[in-house]
Coordinates of all heavy atoms in Angstrom, one line a residue:
S186 N 64.3 -31.9 28.2 CA 63.4 -31.4 27.1 C 62.7 -30.2 27.6 O 62.5 -29.2 26.8 CB 62.4 -32.5 26.8 OG 61.6 -32.1 25.7
A187 N 62.3 -30.1 28.9 CA 61.7 -28.9 29.4 C 62.6 -27.7 29.3 O 62.2 -26.6 28.9 CB 61.2 -29.2 30.8
A188 N 63.9 -27.9 29.7 CA 64.8 -26.8 29.6 C 65.0 -26.3 28.2 O 65.0 -25.1 27.9 CB 66.2 -27.2 30.2
I189 N 65.2 -27.2 27.2 CA 65.3 -26.8 25.8 C 64.1 -26.2 25.3 O 64.1 -25.2 24.6 CB 65.7 -28.1 25.0 CG1 67.0 -28.7 25.5 CG2 65.8 -27.7 23.5 CD1 68.2 -27.8 25.6
G190 N 62.9 -26.6 25.7 CA 61.7 -26.0 25.3 C 61.5 -24.6 25.8 O 60.9 -23.7 25.2
L191 N 62.1 -24.3 27.0 CA 62.0 -23.0 27.6 C 63.1 -22.0 27.1 O 62.9 -20.9 26.8 CB 62.1 -23.0 29.1 CG 60.9 -23.7 29.8 CD1 61.2 -23.8 31.3 CD2 59.6 -22.8 29.6
F192 N 64.3 -22.6 27.0 CA 65.5 -21.7 26.8 C 66.2 -21.9 25.5 O 67.1 -21.2 25.1 CB 66.5 -21.9 27.9 CG 65.9 -21.8 29.3 CD1 66.0 -22.9 30.2 CD2 65.1 -20.8 29.7 CE1 65.4 -22.9 31.4 CE2 64.5 -20.8 30.9 CZ 64.7 -21.8 31.8
G193 N 65.9 -23.0 24.7 CA 66.6 -23.3 23.5 C 67.9 -24.0 23.7 O 68.2 -24.4 24.8
E194 N 68.7 -24.1 22.7 CA 70.0 -24.8 22.7 C 71.0 -24.0 23.6 O 71.2 -22.8 23.4 CB 70.5 -25.0 21.3 CG 71.8 -25.9 21.3 CD 72.2 -26.2 19.9 OE1 71.5 -25.7 18.9 OE2 73.1 -27.0 19.7
P195 N 71.7 -24.7 24.5 CA 72.6 -24.0 25.4 C 73.9 -23.7 24.6 O 74.2 -24.3 23.5 CB 72.9 -25.0 26.5 CG 72.7 -26.3 25.9 CD 71.5 -26.1 24.9
K196 N 74.7 -22.8 25.1 CA 76.0 -22.5 24.5 C 77.0 -23.7 24.6 O 77.7 -24.0 23.7 CB 76.6 -21.3 25.2 CG 75.9 -20.0 25.0 CD 76.4 -18.8 25.8 CE 77.9 -18.5 25.4 NZ 78.4 -17.4 26.2
S197 N 76.9 -24.3 25.8 CA 77.7 -25.5 26.0 C 77.0 -26.3 27.2 O 76.1 -25.8 27.8 CB 79.1 -25.2 26.4 OG 79.2 -24.4 27.5
F198 N 77.6 -27.4 27.5 CA 77.0 -28.1 28.7 C 78.1 -29.1 29.3 O 79.1 -29.4 28.6 CB 75.8 -29.0 28.3 CG 76.1 -30.2 27.5 CD1 76.3 -31.4 28.0 CD2 76.1 -30.1 26.1 CE1 76.6 -32.5 27.2 CE2 76.3 -31.2 25.3 CZ 76.6 -32.4 25.9
T199 N 77.9 -29.4 30.5 CA 78.8 -30.4 31.2 C 77.9 -31.6 31.6 O 76.7 -31.4 31.9 CB 79.6 -29.8 32.3 OG1 78.7 -29.2 33.2 CG2 80.6 -28.8 31.8
A200 N 78.5 -32.7 31.8 CA 77.7 -33.9 32.2 C 78.5 -34.8 33.2 O 79.7 -34.9 33.1 CB 77.4 -34.7 31.0
Q201 N 77.8 -35.3 34.1 CA 78.4 -36.2 35.1 C 77.4 -37.4 35.3 O 76.2 -37.2 35.3 CB 78.6 -35.5 36.4 CG 79.1 -36.4 37.6 CD 78.0 -37.0 38.4 OE1 76.9 -36.5 38.3 NE2 78.3 -38.1 39.1
G202 N 77.9 -38.6 35.6 CA 77.0 -39.7 35.8 C 77.7 -40.8 36.6 O 78.9 -40.9 36.5
V203 N 76.9 -41.6 37.3 CA 77.5 -42.7 38.0 C 76.9 -44.0 37.3 O 75.7 -44.2 37.1 CB 77.0 -42.7 39.5 CG1 77.4 -44.0 40.2 CG2 77.6 -41.5 40.2
L204 N 77.9 -44.9 36.9 CA 77.5 -46.1 36.2 C 77.3 -47.3 37.0 O 77.9 -47.5 38.1 CB 78.6 -46.4 35.1 CG 79.0 -45.3 34.1 CD1 79.9 -45.9 33.1 CD2 77.7 -44.7 33.5
L205 N 76.3 -48.1 36.6 CA 76.1 -49.4 37.2 C 77.0 -50.4 36.5 O 77.6 -50.1 35.4 CB 74.7 -49.8 37.1 CG 73.6 -49.0 37.8 CD1 72.2 -49.4 37.4 CD2 73.8 -49.0 39.3
H206 N 77.2 -51.6 37.1 CA 78.1 -52.5 36.5 C 77.6 -53.0 35.1 O 78.4 -53.6 34.3 CB 78.4 -53.7 37.4 CG 77.2 -54.6 37.7 ND1 76.7 -55.5 36.8 CD2 76.4 -54.7 38.8 CE1 75.7 -56.1 37.4 NE2 75.5 -55.6 38.6
S207 N 76.3 -52.9 34.8 CA 75.8 -53.3 33.5 C 76.3 -52.3 32.4 O 76.2 -52.7 31.2 CB 74.3 -53.3 33.6 OG 73.8 -52.0 33.8
G208 N 76.7 -51.1 32.8 CA 77.1 -50.2 31.8 C 76.2 -49.0 31.5 O 76.5 -48.1 30.7
V209 N 75.0 -48.9 32.2 CA 74.1 -47.8 32.1 C 74.3 -46.9 33.3 O 74.8 -47.3 34.3 CB 72.7 -48.2 31.9 CG1 72.5 -49.2 30.7 CG2 72.1 -48.8 33.2
D210 N 73.9 -45.6 33.1 CA 74.0 -44.7 34.2 C 72.8 -44.9 35.2 O 71.7 -45.0 34.8 CB 74.0 -43.3 33.7 CG 72.9 -42.9 32.8 OD1 72.5 -43.8 32.0 OD2 72.3 -41.8 32.8
A211 N 73.2 -44.9 36.5 CA 72.2 -45.0 37.6 C 71.6 -43.6 37.9 O 70.4 -43.5 38.1 CB 72.8 -45.5 38.8
H212 N 72.4 -42.6 37.9 CA 72.0 -41.2 38.1 C 73.0 -40.2 37.6 O 74.1 -40.7 37.3 CB 71.7 -41.0 39.6 CG 72.9 -41.1 40.5 ND1 73.7 -40.0 40.8 CD2 73.5 -42.1 41.1 CE1 74.6 -40.4 41.6 NE2 74.5 -41.7 41.8
G213 N 72.7 -39.0 37.6 CA 73.7 -38.0 37.1 C 73.2 -36.6 37.1 O 72.0 -36.3 37.5
T214 N 74.0 -35.7 36.5 CA 73.7 -34.3 36.5 C 74.2 -33.7 35.1 O 75.2 -34.0 34.7 CB 74.4 -33.5 37.6 OG1 74.0 -34.1 38.9 CG2 74.0 -32.0 37.6
L215 N 73.3 -32.9 34.5 CA 73.7 -32.1 33.4 C 73.7 -30.6 33.8 O 72.8 -30.2 34.6 CB 72.7 -32.3 32.2 CG 72.7 -33.6 31.5 CD1 71.5 -33.6 30.5 CD2 74.0 -33.8 30.7
V216 N 74.6 -29.8 33.3 CA 74.6 -28.4 33.5 C 74.6 -27.7 32.2 O 75.6 -27.8 31.5 CB 75.7 -27.9 34.4 CG1 75.6 -26.4 34.6 CG2 75.8 -28.7 35.8
L217 N 73.5 -27.1 31.8 CA 73.4 -26.4 30.5 C 73.8 -24.9 30.7 O 73.3 -24.2 31.6 CB 72.0 -26.4 30.0 CG 71.3 -27.8 30.0 CD1 69.9 -27.6 29.4 CD2 72.1 -28.8 29.2
H218 N 74.8 -24.5 29.9 CA 75.3 -23.1 30.1 C 74.7 -22.1 29.1 O 74.9 -22.3 27.9 CB 76.9 -23.2 30.0 CG 77.5 -24.1 30.9 ND1 77.6 -24.0 32.2 CD2 78.2 -25.3 30.6 CE1 78.2 -25.0 32.8 NE2 78.6 -25.8 31.8
Y219 N 74.0 -21.1 29.6 CA 73.5 -20.1 28.8 C 74.2 -18.8 29.2 O 75.1 -18.8 30.0 CB 72.0 -19.9 29.1 CG 71.2 -21.1 28.7 CD1 70.9 -22.2 29.5 CD2 70.7 -21.2 27.4 CE1 70.2 -23.3 29.1 CE2 70.0 -22.3 26.9 CZ 69.7 -23.4 27.8 OH 69.0 -24.5 27.3
D220 N 73.9 -17.7 28.5 CA 74.6 -16.4 28.7 C 74.7 -15.9 30.1 O 75.8 -15.6 30.6 CB 74.0 -15.3 27.8 CG 74.3 -15.5 26.3 OD1 75.3 -16.2 26.0 OD2 73.5 -15.1 25.5
E221 N 73.6 -15.9 30.8 CA 73.6 -15.3 32.2 C 73.1 -16.2 33.3 O 72.9 -15.8 34.4 CB 72.8 -14.0 32.2 CG 73.4 -12.9 31.3 CD 72.7 -11.6 31.5 OE1 71.6 -11.5 31.0 OE2 73.3 -10.7 32.1
F222 N 73.0 -17.5 32.9 CA 72.5 -18.5 34.0 C 72.9 -19.9 33.5 O 73.2 -20.1 32.3 CB 71.0 -18.4 34.2 CG 70.2 -18.8 33.1 CD1 69.7 -20.1 33.0 CD2 69.8 -17.9 32.1 CE1 68.9 -20.5 32.0 CE2 69.0 -18.3 31.0 CZ 68.6 -19.6 31.0

Side-chain angles (χ1 to χ4, degrees):
S186 185
I189 301 306
L191 290 173
F192 314 123
E194 186 171 5
K196 295 174 60 179
S197 61
F198 71 92
T199 54
Q201 175 274 338
V203 173
L204 304 189
L205 298 172
H206 65 75
S207 65
V209 304
D210 53 322
H212 66 90
T214 305
L215 289 174
V216 182
L217 311 182
H218 305 293
Y219 294 91
D220 286 334
E221 295 188 289
F222 68 93

